[in-house]
PDB file of all heavy atoms in Angstrom:
ATOM      1  N   VAL A 230      -8.008  26.033 -24.144  1.00 85.00           N
ATOM      2  CA  VAL A 230      -6.611  26.140 -24.552  1.00 85.00           C
ATOM      3  C   VAL A 230      -6.521  26.632 -25.989  1.00 85.00           C
ATOM      4  O   VAL A 230      -5.699  27.500 -26.319  1.00 85.00           O
ATOM      5  CB  VAL A 230      -5.891  24.782 -24.411  1.00 85.00           C
ATOM      6  CG1 VAL A 230      -4.467  24.864 -24.957  1.00 85.00           C
ATOM      7  CG2 VAL A 230      -5.850  24.359 -22.949  1.00 85.00           C
ATOM      8  N   ILE A 231      -7.370  26.107 -26.867  1.00 84.00           N
ATOM      9  CA  ILE A 231      -7.367  26.513 -28.278  1.00 84.00           C
ATOM     10  C   ILE A 231      -7.675  28.003 -28.406  1.00 84.00           C
ATOM     11  O   ILE A 231      -6.982  28.742 -29.119  1.00 84.00           O
ATOM     12  CB  ILE A 231      -8.374  25.675 -29.083  1.00 84.00           C
ATOM     13  CG1 ILE A 231      -7.872  24.230 -29.211  1.00 84.00           C
ATOM     14  CG2 ILE A 231      -8.616  26.283 -30.465  1.00 84.00           C
ATOM     15  CD1 ILE A 231      -8.921  23.270 -29.740  1.00 84.00           C
ATOM     16  N   ALA A 232      -8.708  28.467 -27.703  1.00 89.00           N
ATOM     17  CA  ALA A 232      -9.109  29.881 -27.799  1.00 89.00           C
ATOM     18  C   ALA A 232      -8.037  30.805 -27.236  1.00 89.00           C
ATOM     19  O   ALA A 232      -7.720  31.842 -27.835  1.00 89.00           O
ATOM     20  CB  ALA A 232     -10.429  30.099 -27.064  1.00 89.00           C
ATOM     21  N   LEU A 233      -7.478  30.446 -26.092  1.00 89.00           N
ATOM     22  CA  LEU A 233      -6.452  31.300 -25.494  1.00 89.00           C
ATOM     23  C   LEU A 233      -5.159  31.274 -26.301  1.00 89.00           C
ATOM     24  O   LEU A 233      -4.459  32.290 -26.395  1.00 89.00           O
ATOM     25  CB  LEU A 233      -6.175  30.863 -24.046  1.00 89.00           C
ATOM     26  CG  LEU A 233      -7.334  31.009 -23.051  1.00 89.00           C
ATOM     27  CD1 LEU A 233      -6.865  30.681 -21.633  1.00 89.00           C
ATOM     28  CD2 LEU A 233      -7.930  32.412 -23.096  1.00 89.00           C
ATOM     29  N   SER A 234      -4.828  30.126 -26.896  1.00 83.00           N
ATOM     30  CA  SER A 234      -3.626  30.035 -27.734  1.00 83.00           C
ATOM     31  C   SER A 234      -3.753  30.939 -28.953  1.00 83.00           C
ATOM     32  O   SER A 234      -2.780  31.555 -29.391  1.00 83.00           O
ATOM     33  CB  SER A 234      -3.389  28.594 -28.186  1.00 83.00           C
ATOM     34  OG  SER A 234      -3.118  27.752 -27.095  1.00 83.00           O
ATOM     35  N   ALA A 235      -4.956  31.031 -29.496  1.00 81.00           N
ATOM     36  CA  ALA A 235      -5.174  31.869 -30.677  1.00 81.00           C
ATOM     37  C   ALA A 235      -4.980  33.347 -30.363  1.00 81.00           C
ATOM     38  O   ALA A 235      -4.699  34.139 -31.262  1.00 81.00           O
ATOM     39  CB  ALA A 235      -6.582  31.625 -31.225  1.00 81.00           C
ATOM     40  N   LYS A 236      -5.128  33.727 -29.110  1.00 84.00           N
ATOM     41  CA  LYS A 236      -4.937  35.124 -28.711  1.00 84.00           C
ATOM     42  C   LYS A 236      -3.465  35.511 -28.659  1.00 84.00           C
ATOM     43  O   LYS A 236      -3.130  36.699 -28.577  1.00 84.00           O
ATOM     44  CB  LYS A 236      -5.562  35.370 -27.331  1.00 84.00           C
ATOM     45  CG  LYS A 236      -7.075  35.312 -27.279  1.00 84.00           C
ATOM     46  CD  LYS A 236      -7.550  35.453 -25.841  1.00 84.00           C
ATOM     47  CE  LYS A 236      -9.067  35.435 -25.720  1.00 84.00           C
ATOM     48  NZ  LYS A 236      -9.692  36.661 -26.240  1.00 84.00           N
ATOM     49  N   GLU A 237      -2.580  34.486 -28.665  1.00 80.00           N
ATOM     50  CA  GLU A 237      -1.132  34.710 -28.563  1.00 80.00           C
ATOM     51  C   GLU A 237      -0.802  35.590 -27.357  1.00 80.00           C
ATOM     52  O   GLU A 237      -0.079  36.584 -27.451  1.00 80.00           O
ATOM     53  CB  GLU A 237      -0.581  35.313 -29.855  1.00 80.00           C
ATOM     54  CG  GLU A 237      -0.759  34.400 -31.062  1.00 80.00           C
ATOM     55  CD  GLU A 237      -0.096  34.932 -32.306  1.00 80.00           C
ATOM     56  OE1 GLU A 237       0.375  36.085 -32.285  1.00 80.00           O
ATOM     57  OE2 GLU A 237      -0.042  34.191 -33.309  1.00 80.00           O
ATOM     58  N   MET A 238      -1.340  35.211 -26.210  1.00 85.00           N
ATOM     59  CA  MET A 238      -1.106  35.936 -24.969  1.00 85.00           C
ATOM     60  C   MET A 238       0.340  35.776 -24.507  1.00 85.00           C
ATOM     61  O   MET A 238       1.019  34.820 -24.869  1.00 85.00           O
ATOM     62  CB  MET A 238      -2.022  35.397 -23.856  1.00 85.00           C
ATOM     63  CG  MET A 238      -3.498  35.636 -24.055  1.00 85.00           C
ATOM     64  SD  MET A 238      -4.453  34.794 -22.758  1.00 85.00           S
ATOM     65  CE  MET A 238      -6.011  35.670 -22.868  1.00 85.00           C
ATOM     66  N   GLN A 239       0.786  36.711 -23.693  1.00 88.00           N
ATOM     67  CA  GLN A 239       2.047  36.527 -23.000  1.00 88.00           C
ATOM     68  C   GLN A 239       1.910  35.324 -22.053  1.00 88.00           C
ATOM     69  O   GLN A 239       0.816  35.055 -21.545  1.00 88.00           O
ATOM     70  CB  GLN A 239       2.401  37.779 -22.200  1.00 88.00           C
ATOM     71  CG  GLN A 239       2.755  38.987 -23.053  1.00 88.00           C
ATOM     72  CD  GLN A 239       4.048  38.785 -23.822  1.00 88.00           C
ATOM     73  OE1 GLN A 239       5.028  38.264 -23.292  1.00 88.00           O
ATOM     74  NE2 GLN A 239       4.044  39.182 -25.089  1.00 88.00           N
ATOM     75  N   PRO A 240       2.989  34.583 -21.814  1.00 89.00           N
ATOM     76  CA  PRO A 240       2.910  33.394 -20.952  1.00 89.00           C
ATOM     77  C   PRO A 240       2.258  33.657 -19.595  1.00 89.00           C
ATOM     78  O   PRO A 240       1.444  32.854 -19.132  1.00 89.00           O
ATOM     79  CB  PRO A 240       4.371  32.977 -20.799  1.00 89.00           C
ATOM     80  CG  PRO A 240       5.019  33.445 -22.055  1.00 89.00           C
ATOM     81  CD  PRO A 240       4.331  34.735 -22.399  1.00 89.00           C
ATOM     82  N   THR A 241       2.613  34.773 -18.959  1.00 91.00           N
ATOM     83  CA  THR A 241       2.048  35.060 -17.630  1.00 91.00           C
ATOM     84  C   THR A 241       0.545  35.285 -17.702  1.00 91.00           C
ATOM     85  O   THR A 241      -0.196  34.853 -16.817  1.00 91.00           O
ATOM     86  CB  THR A 241       2.724  36.302 -17.016  1.00 91.00           C
ATOM     87  OG1 THR A 241       2.697  37.375 -17.980  1.00 91.00           O
ATOM     88  CG2 THR A 241       4.159  36.016 -16.629  1.00 91.00           C
ATOM     89  N   VAL A 242       0.083  35.938 -18.766  1.00 93.00           N
ATOM     90  CA  VAL A 242      -1.349  36.200 -18.923  1.00 93.00           C
ATOM     91  C   VAL A 242      -2.093  34.904 -19.233  1.00 93.00           C
ATOM     92  O   VAL A 242      -3.161  34.632 -18.668  1.00 93.00           O
ATOM     93  CB  VAL A 242      -1.591  37.238 -20.037  1.00 93.00           C
ATOM     94  CG1 VAL A 242      -3.087  37.460 -20.258  1.00 93.00           C
ATOM     95  CG2 VAL A 242      -0.916  38.552 -19.697  1.00 93.00           C
TER      96      VAL A 242
END
Side-chain angles (χ1 to χ4, degrees):
V230 175
I231 290 168
L233 296 186
S234 296
K236 291 175 179 289
E237 298 186 352
M238 294 174 161
Q239 291 293 318
T241 50
V242 177

